[in-house]
Amino acid sequence: MTSTQPRPVQTSVQFTPVSASISVEQVHYQVKHWLPGRFRLYVPQVAYDESYRVRLAQGLTKIIGVHEVRVNLDARAVVVDYDPDLAVTQVQEEIFGVIQNPPPAKGTQGAAHGVDYWERLGLPVLSLVLSLVLLLGFPIPEILVAGLIFAAAVPVFQRAWEGIVQDQQLNIDFLDVLALSAHTLQGHYFAPTFMLNLIEGGEVIRDMTARGTDRASLDLLDCLNQTVRVERDGQEMEISVRAVVPGDHVLVYPGDQVPVDGYLLRGTVVIDQCKLTGESVPVRRETGDEVFASTLVVDGTACILTERTGNETRAGMIVSLMESAPVHDTRVENYAALVANQAVVPTLLIGGAVWGLTGDAQRAIALITLDFGTGIRVSVPTAILSALTYAARNGVFIRSGRAIEMLARVDAVVFDKTGTLTRGQARVTEVRLAPGCGETVAAVLELAATAEQGLTHPVAEAIVRHAREKGIEPGKCDSWEYRVGMGVVAVIRDREILVGSHRLMAQMGVAVQSFEQAHPDIKTGSYSPVYVAAEGILLGVILYRDPLRPETAGVIQELQKLRIAPYMLSGDVKRVANAVATEVGIAPERVYGEAFPERKVEVVKAIHDQGRVVGFCGDGINDSAALAYADASISFGGATDIARETADVVLMENDLRGLIQAVKVARYTMDVIWENTLIVAIPNLGALLAGIFFALDPILAIVINNGSAILAELNGLRPLLGPGEALPVLHGHLDQEALFIEEDHLHHQQELQG
């Protein structure tokens, strides 16, 4: 079943739900948002029931066609991405069924979050020591060594059994089981113990990487449960950090961790941002500069105007994003595992044939010891985790391994204009009245600000801000309706007020042609218009400009150097869109004006149908549908919640140069993964061919197989160091924009005081 048009912000969805609200054993849920390929559900139980949350995520991931599952604890939301080509009725029934009755949790889950190293390595190491002692001639009961080997190999037996029962196939663990058992039953104990230690050693290296990532995330929140000093009513007092609210004046002294995100009201400090950004050198911050929670005050004292607290801080977002990032989901890994598992039966046949022809069981055992999957299985997640960690420390949060893979393949990026290529802080330049409207400029501005208040769109914020600068406070709406991509329809003091684009006026039957003819510069100037009408009659036009981000032109040039074609979409008329595109260096044929949400989706799909891998970069509610349809979606830390939640990549510095970082990190990581594939495949394939024609010692086969896996595992740590070439520096750019920061800071103070 297909939808005529996706409606990303409506709670009523265009399919036949099994139920909008179901209670089964006190499990309640509600569909909050749906697009072809994506469900967003409100499931309160995930916030307080960890067991249910784990089982739910595991169960949803197993549904055929489901690509990714994300759980947002703060919003109590579960986002499920699935193949949009599947029938939604089938997918929704399976999803709702799992929500009602999630499967039991697998015992192997969560290893990355709590690893008992003695449990993992104790028995393998002990069995290896005893096998060496026995090899040296000491009188140790062989039954004891054999028993230890089988006990240490229990995890391998479990994985092999799961492959047979759940996946109904013989996997690489089955080959390991045969090799371990054959060696042990023949009385050769050193080879299987050595093999076990190499296998578990590789797994532990991966788990250490995962725990390092978790530990870094937890370190970011060390300060968030402490008390802080604030100024209230001219008095300094100590309160819990949980009691701090936006607008509070927080005091910090040398040795303090900054507990909130905000701007310095007074003072100069030297701050160590290593935990948050990875910068090795402390930075100097002065009045008007921005500071972030979890950073350390090395020297100086300051007063911070609080903007964000708790989970809304940069540190809080890091933790939530990293916790929700799935790792083991790259197509490279899945393909490698598929090929490796399909090679199991041929390997068994080759080993059996060699045994039958030569009668040498040791030679056959050596052949079945060789496989291509073990190294890939342990090295790919390590590379992905390393890349996620490096990117996170540099202000770029990539949600998953699949996102890294798609980002590395992107060869076209579609940008939304407002708030993405531009600052997203539009400035009203003029208010023009329609002849005979009977209203004053102040009255028209007050109506527009009243209708637009509460919206996070940059143009709406600009109108409200301009009204307040003129001493005009927005009033109250009797009713209010936001029409995505067009504007707002509101009832104010019993009058129907329209504030929005030319399309909204045309849809509602408001005549604007005569006004546009009288003011031809509206269609030829470099600014954009917002029309205001009441009761079907045009009252006037609000003109605004949205300045470009200072880094935009450089980012477009850098993308072209990376052979990535830039495109631009804008809700503005084609004239304004072309002017911006020319300024930043985007070709006119890659510019789309008057692009409402459905049109944005059409453009993304059309570019994809040309054979390109498409990235979409946007930050607003009206971008969420296009974000969902893109192969790789990019948004900002300061974007709307739905855009940030939909995006595969979040640029937490709100700086487009983070996109260049993300692409380079992704490409570098995929290069490392392919290197690991060669590191594993070449030695094992060479040894397999040699073993067919010549005798291959089992110990040598184990060294080749597991040694190559460990080398690949260690190589997978390289993304922690980042790409070899220099990346753009995002930190410290505030000095270049001091004027804008000061201006925004003053506006922010006025709003708080107002």
Side-chain angles (χ1 to χ4, degrees), residues 93-112:
E93 287 179 4
E94 294 190 48
I95 291 174
F96 297 165
V98 171
I99 291 176
Q100 296 175 54
N101 187 24
K106 289 176 61 177
T108 56
Q109 291 293 325

Side-chain angles (χ1 to χ4, degrees), residues 204-380:
V204 166
I205 291 174
R206 182 183 66 176
D207 291 339
M208 287 173 63
T209 306
R211 290 198 71 192
T213 302
D214 289 342
R215 191 177 303 114
S217 296
L218 291 174
D219 286 346
L220 291 173
L221 292 180
D222 279 348
C223 68
L224 299 184
N225 292 325
Q226 300 174 357
T227 58
V228 297
R229 289 180 287 274
V230 298
E231 275 186 357
R232 287 181 177 174
D233 300 324
Q235 299 293 321
E236 181 176 336
M237 61 183 68
E238 188 168 350
I239 62 174
S240 169
V241 71
R242 298 183 183 275
V244 178
V245 296
D248 269 342
H249 295 180
V250 175
L251 302 173
V252 290
Y253 299 92
D256 286 350
Q257 282 184 305
V258 178
V260 297
D261 288 359
Y263 291 93
L264 293 189
L265 283 177
R266 64 175 184 270
T268 300
V269 289
V270 176
I271 290 184
D272 183 355
Q273 300 188 140
C274 179
K275 282 186 179 181
L276 185 66
T277 67
E279 292 174 280
S280 58
V281 179
V283 295
R284 180 186 178 89
R285 291 290 180 258
E286 300 177 345
T287 300
D289 287 344
E290 193 172 11
V291 293
F292 302 106
S294 82
T295 57
L296 179 67
V297 179
V298 177
D299 190 20
T301 61
C303 179
I304 303 169
L305 174 63
T306 303
E307 277 211 321
R308 296 178 296 274
T309 64
N311 291 329
E312 296 299 317
T313 63
R314 184 74 53 84
M317 290 180 181
I318 289 175
V319 174
S320 61
L321 287 170
M322 293 299 288
E323 284 179 345
S324 65
V327 174
H328 311 271
D329 65 345
T330 67
R331 293 181 184 178
V332 172
E333 184 180 14
N334 293 338
Y335 181 74
L338 178 64
V339 172
N341 290 334
Q342 288 179 341
V344 170
V345 173
T347 302
L348 287 173
L349 294 176
I350 292 173
V354 169
W355 188 11
L357 292 173
T358 65
D360 188 344
Q362 292 295 309
R363 186 171 171 181
I365 292 171
L367 288 175
I368 65 174
T369 300
L370 300 167
D371 67 72
F372 304 95
T374 301
I376 301 299
R377 184 180 62 197
V378 298
S379 66
V380 170

